[in-house]
Amino acid sequence: MTDDTILSVADLSLRFGAKPKVKGSGLLAVNKVSFDLKQGETLSIVGESGSGKTTIGRCIARLYAPSQGSMVFQAKDGPVDLATLDKAGLRKVRREIQMLFQDPNASLNSRMRIGEIVAEPLEIHGIGTKAERIERVRSLLERVGLSADAVNRYPHQLSGGQRQRVGIARALTISPRLLICDEPVSALDVSVQAQVLNLLGDLQKEMGLTYIFVSHDLGVVDYISDRIMVLYLGTVMELATRDDLFAAPAHPYTRALLDAMPARVGGKHRKRKVLSGEIGGPSGLRKGCVFAGRCPFATDICRTHEPELRPWRRRPETRVACHHADDLDLGSYDQPPPEPESLP
Ligand SMILES: Nc1ncnc2c1ncn2[C@@H]1O[C@H](COP(=O)(O)OP(=O)(O)OP(=O)(O)O)[C@@H](O)[C@H]1O
Ligand SMILES: [Mg+2]
């Protein structure tokens, strides 16, 4: 952990519906996830549906209590472990950690006016006088690009993009330091997506915010991230800077995600490839690498031993969980390697 680390997650696991005395029971949604987050950076979490992205975000926001692991957050008053914090401690730290959700329709109360929605967190936390709250709401709505008369409107009177701007204003009213964004632009039109992403980027710089950005869309992630964490069945496959991940993917699953993306604008046109094989079951006791069943490079060791996340020989800043990563050259986003058949 370095000085500018704001959050340090170690060995985070969450098992849904586990029976206390039955080892391996329930559904392992998050499997020993570890990462550090630096003040002011954007770390994205990508992976297919059901890979555990939302669950990790909800653990950090402590909407879920993890089954195992620690999440040390550098709060204003000093470090706290979010995993074991009591109710009073959580209430305090919630001022510093906020969540932004995918569907602004579902997350905004349809019977409340926009002004009330944005002011609510201030009221919950008892911040400011009435006049100060009104002023704070007005200036935030303006900052996120909504006109002053929006305060008296209802969510259904706004467009999807405008609603997500309200969601952003609401998340920022109490000046959090960490914002967990769960697919914040997935429900929006592509043209509106870029506007909202730009707004998030500008706000981050102005307010020194740190983002955890959950998305299944690598195009969006390419646009916004400093670093990217690739998740498969709750397990970290690769953790790399955005540039490294696209220039030199280390894990066969990352390669598969890149192959499923349309070419970048101006990039070479290429055929989209779709992963074959079955996604393994997330429950029960696991053996080996969770991706082995779908991996074109899998050998015996992959089916028997779970690989650890460790620095990659070719780019030490990249960490990868693959027995064969050091022997593989998976090309780059723009230059896929020849069809893999087996290990060299
Ligand atoms: N409250 C819950 N109770 C039981 N199982 C759950 C619960 N929430 C999620 N799961 C399961 O945990 C796994 C991870 O789910 P999660 O919602 O975190 O995935 P995700 O990566 O966010 O997927 P998506 O891209 O579809 O949003 C899935 O198998 C899901 O079915
Ligand atoms: Mg999700």
Side-chain angles (χ1 to χ4, degrees):
M1 203 180 348
T2 53
D3 278 344
D4 60 349
T5 302
I6 185 168
L7 177 71
S8 186
V9 172
D11 254 342
L12 180 71
S13 297
L14 178 66
R15 211 176 256 283
F16 284 115
K19 297 199 180 85
K21 284 185 185 149
V22 187
K23 202 177 170 214
S25 66
L27 186 146
L28 187 58
V30 179
N31 178 25
K32 290 177 281 178
V33 167
S34 301
F35 63 91
D36 280 353
L37 190 62
K38 287 190 226 78
Q39 168 80 39
E41 82 166 332
T42 300
L43 173 76
S44 290
I45 306 179
V46 298
E48 286 164 286
S49 185
S51 55
K53 306 180 295 293
T54 294
T55 306
I56 292 179
R58 286 179 161 255
C59 282
I60 295 166
R62 270 308 304 272
L63 300 173
Y64 293 150
S67 319
Q68 181 195 309
S70 65
M71 306 182 283
V72 177
F73 177 69
Q74 292 296 329
K76 279 194 186 117
D77 298 341
V80 287
D81 183 356
L82 301 170
T84 54
L85 212 54
D86 61 13
K87 267 199 175 147
L90 272 177
R91 196 180 143 79
K92 213 164 141 201
V93 87
R94 285 226 165 90
R95 285 179 59 164
E96 299 184 53
I97 304 175
Q98 287 287 299
M99 252 189 118
L100 183 63
F101 298 96
Q102 166 174 3
D103 185 356
N105 242 347
S107 59
L108 304 179
N109 186 332
S110 61
R111 283 188 296 268
M112 282 167 78
R113 292 177 198 272
I114 302 306
E116 295 164 335
I117 290 172
V118 177
E120 195 180 38
L122 293 171
E123 277 155 25
I124 292 172
H125 290 279
I127 299 168
T129 62
K130 185 139 197 241
E132 282 166 350
R133 287 177 201 164
I134 291 172
E135 180 42 38
R136 173 82 179 145
V137 169
R138 276 191 192 284
S139 75
L140 259 171
L141 284 176
E142 194 185 322
R143 180 59 199 87
V144 300
L146 292 168
S147 61
D149 63 357
V151 284
N152 291 317
R153 301 241 203 108
Y154 289 93
H156 72 266
Q157 296 173 309
L158 304 180
S159 70
Q162 287 171 326
R163 277 197 292 266
Q164 195 54 296
R165 288 171 194 270
V166 173
I168 293 170
R170 180 187 157 90
L172 297 181
T173 27
I174 52 174
S175 308
R177 295 165 63 225
L178 173 61
L179 190 61
I180 300 166
C181 310
D182 190 353
E183 307 263 12
V185 298
S186 303
L188 306 176
D189 283 353
V190 173
S191 59
V192 181
Q193 282 189 353
Q195 294 168 11
V196 172
L197 291 174
N198 286 336
L199 175 65
L200 283 170
D202 292 344
L203 291 168
Q204 178 173 45
K205 278 188 221 112
E206 275 169 44
M207 303 181 183
L209 295 166
T210 306
Y211 290 160
I212 290 179
F213 195 96
V214 166
S215 180
H216 67 277
D217 183 342
L218 265 175
V220 166
V221 161
D222 181 20
Y223 197 76
I224 195 154
S225 318
D226 296 307
R227 286 187 302 143
I228 300 173
M229 185 163 97
V230 178
L231 207 63
Y232 187 82
L233 284 182
T235 313
V236 180
M237 301 283 99
E238 178 166 358
L239 181 58
T241 66
R242 189 254 322 256
D243 291 348
D244 279 346
L245 190 106
F246 283 92
H251 198 286
Y253 179 57
T254 311
R255 177 73 257 173
L257 288 181
L258 295 183
D259 287 339
M261 270 178 89
R264 270 176 181 161
V265 179
K268 226 172 61 187
H269 179 76
R270 58 189 168 77
K271 235 169 62 194
R272 290 174 63 159
K273 275 195 280 183
V274 178
L275 265 181
S276 57
E278 282 296 301
I279 187 158
S283 43
L285 289 167
R286 284 185 184 153
K287 222 174 148 193
C289 170
V290 284
F291 187 58
R294 291 169 99 185
C295 182
F297 305 103
T299 59
D300 286 347
I301 187 173
C302 306
R303 288 179 273 270
T304 52
H305 291 79
E306 188 176 2
E308 269 178 47
L309 191 70
R310 57 188 165 77
W312 191 31
R313 187 162 52 91
R314 293 182 47 209
R315 298 200 180 205
E317 247 199 280
T318 294
R319 290 196 292 149
V320 59
C322 171
H323 292 299
H324 300 307
D326 286 342
D327 305 321
L328 296 175
D329 180 356
L330 299 174
S332 69
Y333 171 73
D334 296 307
Q335 284 285 313
E339 278 298 304
E341 286 308 331
S342 59
L343 268 180

